[in-house]
Amino acid sequence: MRTGLLFLLIFSLHSFLSAQSIHLSGFNDSNALEELKREKSFDDQISRENIGKTIQDLSSVPHNLGSTGSREVAEKIQKKFRDYGFDVRMDVYQVLFPVPKTRILEMTTPQVYRALLKEPALKEDRTSGQTDQLPTYNAWSADGNVTAEVVYVNYGLNEDYEVLSKMGINVKGKIVIARYGKSWRGIKPKIAQEHGAIGCIIYSDPQDDGYFQGDVYPKGPFKSEYGVQRGSVMDMVVYPGDPLTPGVGATKDAKRFASHNDAPNLLKIPVLPISYHDAKPLLEAISGPVAPENWRGALPITYHIGPGKSTVHLELLFDWKMVPCYDVIAMIKGDVFPDEWVIRGNHHDAWVNGAQDPISGQAAMLEEAKAIGGLLKSGWKPKRTMVYCSWDGEEPALVGSTEWVEDHAGLLQQNTIVYINSDENGRGFLNAGGSHALEGLVDDVAKNISDPQTGVTLFERLKAKEVVTAASPQLAKEMMDKTKIHLDALGTGSDFSPFLQHLGLPVLDLSFSGEDNNGVYHSIYDSYDNFIRFVDPGFYYGAALSKVAGHISLRMLDADVLPFDYRMLYKEVKTYSTELQSLLSNLRESTSVNNEIVRKKYLLIATDTANAFSPPVLKQEVPYIDFSPLQNAITSLGRAADHSYEIMNTKGMSAKQTDSLNRMLCRAEQELLLEQGLPLRPWYKHALYAPGFYTGYTVKTLPGIRESIEQRNYMQAEIEIKRAAAAINKLAGYLQQM
Ligand SMILES: [Zn+2]
């Protein structure tokens, strides 16, 4: 009976595979069948239980950069890779990492209140009472001792300061209090500093991730009264990594700035994150005008903006120490093309225990490595080299990955086929972002793996969500007709950034999320106990991540022709160019209307005379800009992409021809690098993707042009159009040579 069943299974798998159109991008027909069988045996070795055990083990102690816990975790990971059959080494960098010596926040008037600045241990959370936890703080805050009136600035974005300026409120010489959300946290103190504030407090409002959203921890997954989001406030959109060594690896003898005061990406004002328990007395005491409706959070108070009445004293001192940064690098040499590297990475350092961020992704990656090790034992040899990287120091500033990338830049630009990143993972839907030439590959893989909860493919589940959450019936209809997955453009926020934006290498970033409610992010409660209740009970989505990243790795390792389809990139860039043109014409329209409102004094006449009012100034009318260099370059790219696709599909190429074609395909994206980099931030060199200068994580596509328009610098926009067009023309010329 058993053998019969087994035979039937093998038979049906075989006929299933043969009946499939056996078209697998990158593989010829007979190799495609082999590849699918290999993926099946890879999947058989992925164990949810084992992923769970790894998460419990690696999140059992606090393990931030520079801690003994971090070293222990790195050593455990090193041992695992070794057991799976990999050559392993530890690349160690010497990097700056500030930890707090003094943290004082107290309200001095109208009442005295001393902030707790502490997350309490909970009996429901076994690791929450451990010693060696980093206290609640924002890394890279400046040292400072300031006392001033407080101004509430909503999310602390540029548009919030425009509202303040209309109300005649200035933050010069004040301490601002901003709520978490809507931007990367480092943007809030940066903008506050630009407006002359002398200190910045960031708190978590219950509206954003607390009781307004659902039950709070430990009853539910949302942020409790005392939960605090730690995190970096380095100005990473200027450059990430060790702030003392921009552009070079932070090896022991590297040339570095003498002091952190010389680093141009560090703040000059103190900044501290707090819980809403600590924020409530401060906000309650603020007087001045009542905050506009969309500025109000979910605390049971009337939100005022200030300044006035509420004065606080903020005192922060840090130990600016040098610490070792442990990157674990594991490798299996390729049998045919050892100098072609498929690189897979996830960080291992956490702010505290980090069961979700980053261990959920780390455990999935280790499970992939285990399965690859299993395939090796069964006699398979990958054509190309597989490299696993387990990064340290991601949380403070993508330190481990950035230093490694800077240290090995030349070699990586020679040898990298793709860098595949993951980070935190949870229950929900597939998120995939990265280099658009790889969209077809990700699409193939997402249609070949089932969603663990519903059994439909990952693609179908994602599509269903996009249909039901579409903003209009029209958009829902469009989503229903969708036949292919779309890759998101990448900004920053994880270790793919140096590979993509500094070196121009093809990258992918993968995760599951959407049903993993997350109020414990970067707090002591991001623990195993939280994870098994609220993030991914049963570790089903950990296994799904292993399969997605594993299949992509396997296909890139063994593909006959590497599946880079630059027609997808062309389509994408064409969309960006259209977007920019409508951005400019919308700005022209709104500027002209607003100027009319100012000139005719409508605002002044309509404003409540009981409130202060400072009339807005006229803005420069928006000129017409010549986009034709960009449009022409994109047209050339379209033709060149069609040409390269035809060449890729030529029948009867010799092994040598295929090999040189592959080398060209994976290096093409480097043609998009701008030699001088982006305005004000030469470290960022990619002409198509960068994190926003005033938004942080979120991507700005064609960033040089887009940000010049947003900042109303139209002369610069014309220069940037020419620079981007030159880069796109370079790529077109390169693809045309294939
Ligand atoms: Zn992370």
Side-chain angles (χ1 to χ4, degrees):
M1 181 64 190
R2 287 185 76 99
T3 11
L5 187 65
L6 187 65
F7 171 75
L8 198 67
L9 273 173
I10 291 173
F11 178 77
S12 51
L13 174 69
H14 192 266
S15 50
F16 167 74
L17 293 175
S18 326
Q20 290 257 311
S21 53
I22 304 290
H23 176 73
L24 215 56
S25 34
F27 290 86
N28 71 36
D29 294 354
S30 61
N31 290 347
L33 188 61
E34 285 306 305
E35 174 63 24
L36 288 174
K37 282 188 195 157
R38 192 153 47 243
E39 287 171 13
K40 169 83 178 60
S41 96
F42 174 90
D43 289 354
D44 291 343
Q45 298 175 71
I46 299 296
S47 151
R48 291 189 289 113
E49 293 72 21
N50 200 45
I51 290 173
K53 277 187 202 145
T54 308
I55 294 175
Q56 184 165 28
D57 180 28
L58 298 185
S59 67
S60 60
V61 294
H63 53 107
N64 59 277
L65 171 66
S67 65
T68 46
S70 167
R71 190 182 175 124
E72 276 167 34
V73 164
E75 280 166 356
K76 280 182 184 175
I77 290 169
Q78 189 176 30
K79 181 170 180 310
K80 281 182 195 285
F81 280 124
R82 202 163 276 146
D83 292 346
Y84 303 151
F86 286 75
D87 287 329
V88 195
R89 63 170 208 255
M90 189 94 88
D91 284 353
V92 186
Y93 296 97
Q94 299 300 322
V95 301
L96 185 67
F97 181 54
V99 291
K101 289 195 292 195
T102 305
R103 295 175 307 139
I104 298 169
L105 173 67
E106 54 195 357
M107 180 160 63
T108 49
T109 59
Q111 301 93 32
V112 175
Y113 173 76
R114 176 126 179 177
L116 300 175
L117 311 181
K118 170 108 189 101
E119 300 173 301
L122 296 171
K123 64 176 189 325
E124 296 86 348
D125 189 311
R126 283 166 290 174
T127 54
S128 63
Q130 288 176 334
T131 50
D132 299 333
Q133 297 166 344
L134 274 179
T136 54
Y137 81 116
N138 286 135
W140 314 109
S141 153
D143 293 320
N145 184 353
V146 291
T147 301
E149 287 179 328
V150 183
V151 177
Y152 174 58
V153 295
N154 194 24
Y155 291 104
L157 309 180
N158 275 328
E159 54 261 38
D160 297 322
Y161 285 88
E162 282 201 19
V163 173
L164 287 177
S165 128
K166 276 188 197 148
M167 299 172 95
I169 297 170
N170 192 323
V171 303
K172 204 160 191 275
K174 308 282 192 270
I175 294 174
V176 303
I177 180 164
R179 52 172 162 162
Y180 265 113
K182 302 270 193 243
S183 77
W184 179 62
R185 78 183 77 71
I187 297 300
K188 301 168 196 286
K190 165 177 164 163
I191 297 177
Q193 178 177 296
E194 285 178 0
H195 284 82
I198 56 170
C200 176
I201 301 163
I202 313 177
Y203 82 104
S204 300
D205 197 285
Q207 187 180 58
D208 296 298
D209 61 358
Y211 57 68
F212 187 80
Q213 298 291 336
D215 287 326
V216 303
Y217 197 65
K219 188 177 176 204
F222 292 98
K223 190 175 259 103
S224 71
E225 185 176 357
Y226 302 102
V228 180
Q229 184 188 134
R230 289 161 189 73
S232 170
V233 291
M234 177 191 282
D235 200 358
M236 273 191 271
V237 302
V238 175
Y239 64 88
D242 174 30
L244 300 183
T245 59
V248 297
T251 52
K252 226 169 116 223
D253 307 318
K255 196 167 165 262
R256 28 171 76 73
F257 289 129
S259 146
H260 66 271
N261 294 316
D262 302 330
N265 62 349
L266 297 187
L267 287 166
K268 304 287 180 212
I269 61 170
V271 45
L272 186 70
I274 61 173
S275 65
Y276 57 81
H277 177 90
D278 280 340
K280 186 166 165 268
L282 273 51
L283 289 166
E284 212 167 7
I286 293 179
S287 55
V290 171
E293 190 171 339
N294 59 358
W295 283 40
R296 300 170 201 163
L299 288 170
I301 59 169
T302 301
Y303 285 69
H304 290 84
I305 295 180
K309 289 218 176 128
S310 162
T311 304
V312 305
H313 165 222
L314 174 64
E315 188 176 341
L316 299 172
L317 262 182
F318 298 90
D319 180 5
W320 295 86
K321 59 181 182 178
M322 297 298 291
V323 298
C325 174
Y326 301 106
D327 288 341
V328 185
I329 311 293
M331 201 181 266
I332 292 288
K333 258 217 162 100
D335 195 42
V336 188
F337 307 112
D339 294 339
E340 295 181 8
W341 299 351
V342 174
I343 310 177
R344 169 82 176 94
N346 196 107
H347 70 102
H348 65 70
D349 69 301
W351 279 115
V352 194
N353 296 69
Q356 180 171 20
D357 183 7
I359 297 304
S360 56
Q362 182 69 229
M365 180 173 87
L366 288 167
E367 196 64 13
E368 292 158 48
K370 191 195 81 181
I372 294 267
L375 292 177
L376 293 168
K377 279 176 201 131
S378 73
W380 167 71
K381 289 183 180 144
K383 281 188 1 196
R384 303 187 172 84
T385 292
M386 183 75 217
V387 185
Y388 283 97
C389 304
S390 187
W391 310 115
D392 200 353
E394 188 270 357
E395 292 297 358
L398 320 180
V399 176
S401 57
T402 301
E403 297 315 317
W404 194 78
V405 163
E406 291 173 342
D407 196 16
H408 303 287
L411 204 55
L412 287 169
Q413 285 185 319
Q414 281 280 321
N415 292 354
T416 306
I417 301 293
V418 63
Y419 171 71
I420 305 159
N421 188 69
S422 61
D423 196 323
E424 57 181 329
N425 193 58
R427 201 163 71 87
F429 306 88
L430 177 65
N431 309 298
S435 302
H436 289 92
L438 292 173
E439 206 162 80
L441 167 71
V442 177
D443 185 60
D444 280 358
V445 168
K447 287 174 179 162
N448 198 31
I449 296 173
S450 307
D451 172 68
Q453 297 179 113
T454 60
V456 302
T457 68
L458 296 177
F459 169 74
E460 285 298 335
R461 181 138 209 268
L462 179 63
K463 175 173 161 172
K465 186 193 80 168
E466 288 170 346
V467 169
V468 300
T469 57
S472 66
Q474 180 59 34
L475 283 173
K477 189 90 193 28
E478 274 174 36
M479 287 299 150
M480 284 182 214
D481 295 338
K482 188 171 163 176
T483 57
K484 269 187 172 329
I485 209 163
H486 177 251
L487 289 184
D488 299 324
L490 293 178
T492 185
S494 195
D495 295 302
F496 56 79
S497 172
F499 289 89
L500 174 67
Q501 289 140 352
H502 194 55
L503 297 190
L505 301 172
V507 307
L508 290 171
D509 185 49
L510 304 166
S511 67
F512 288 88
S513 70
E515 296 171 329
D516 54 335
N517 299 306
N518 195 345
V520 303
Y521 176 65
H522 291 183
S523 76
I524 60 172
Y525 313 120
D526 179 1
S527 62
Y528 182 75
D529 286 336
N530 175 70
F531 193 89
I532 55 175
R533 293 178 60 202
F534 302 119
V535 180
D536 183 15
F539 316 106
Y540 288 92
Y541 283 89
L545 178 61
S546 295
K547 288 178 190 172
V548 177
H551 289 198
I552 292 173
S553 305
L554 286 169
R555 290 193 191 183
M556 294 303 268
L557 284 171
D558 278 353
D560 299 309
V561 175
L562 291 169
F564 286 99
D565 183 351
Y566 286 96
R567 296 174 310 167
M568 298 296 145
L569 180 72
Y570 156 71
K571 273 196 203 152
E572 193 70 18
V573 185
K574 209 171 149 200
T575 319
Y576 302 158
S577 162
T578 315
E579 272 171 25
L580 287 180
Q581 290 167 64
S582 40
L583 173 72
L584 187 75
S585 62
N586 291 342
L587 190 68
R588 185 178 304 115
E589 172 106 22
S590 64
T591 303
S592 148
V593 173
N594 281 328
N595 282 346
E596 189 74 1
I597 290 173
V598 175
R599 269 194 298 267
K600 297 200 168 150
K601 301 200 166 51
Y602 285 115
L603 273 173
L604 181 66
I605 299 166
T607 299
D608 182 344
T609 50
N611 294 338
F613 176 74
S614 86
V617 288
L618 291 171
K619 290 195 167 132
Q620 188 203 333
E621 296 288 340
V622 179
Y624 288 85
I625 290 180
D626 182 11
F627 278 93
S628 67
L630 183 66
Q631 290 163 312
N632 289 327
I634 293 172
T635 305
S636 307
L637 178 63
R639 277 197 295 268
D642 284 341
H643 169 77
S644 77
Y645 188 73
E646 267 169 43
I647 299 293
M648 284 166 71
N649 288 291
T650 311
K651 294 260 182 283
M653 268 190 288
S654 70
K656 208 172 151 214
Q657 282 170 318
T658 314
D659 186 29
S660 73
L661 175 67
N662 280 337
R663 293 217 144 231
M664 281 195 85
L665 283 168
C666 66
R667 287 185 200 155
E669 200 164 329
Q670 291 177 46
E671 300 297 311
L672 289 170
L673 292 181
L674 303 166
E675 213 174 305
Q676 313 294 325
L678 292 174
L680 304 176
R681 39 182 180 154
W683 189 91
Y684 285 92
K685 295 191 186 299
H686 206 295
L688 299 187
Y689 317 109
F693 199 75
Y694 284 107
T695 54
Y697 282 176
T698 323
V699 66
K700 295 281 175 180
T701 53
L702 287 168
I705 309 170
R706 192 180 295 266
E707 294 195 318
S708 300
I709 294 174
E710 287 173 349
Q711 290 156 30
R712 297 176 180 268
N713 189 343
Y714 310 111
M715 289 231 302
Q716 188 68 34
E718 294 210 304
I719 297 171
E720 295 302 324
I721 285 174
K722 290 189 187 119
R723 294 212 304 152
I728 293 167
N729 273 325
K730 225 167 114 225
L731 174 62
Y734 179 96
L735 293 175
Q736 202 69 55
Q737 277 169 33
M738 282 183 182

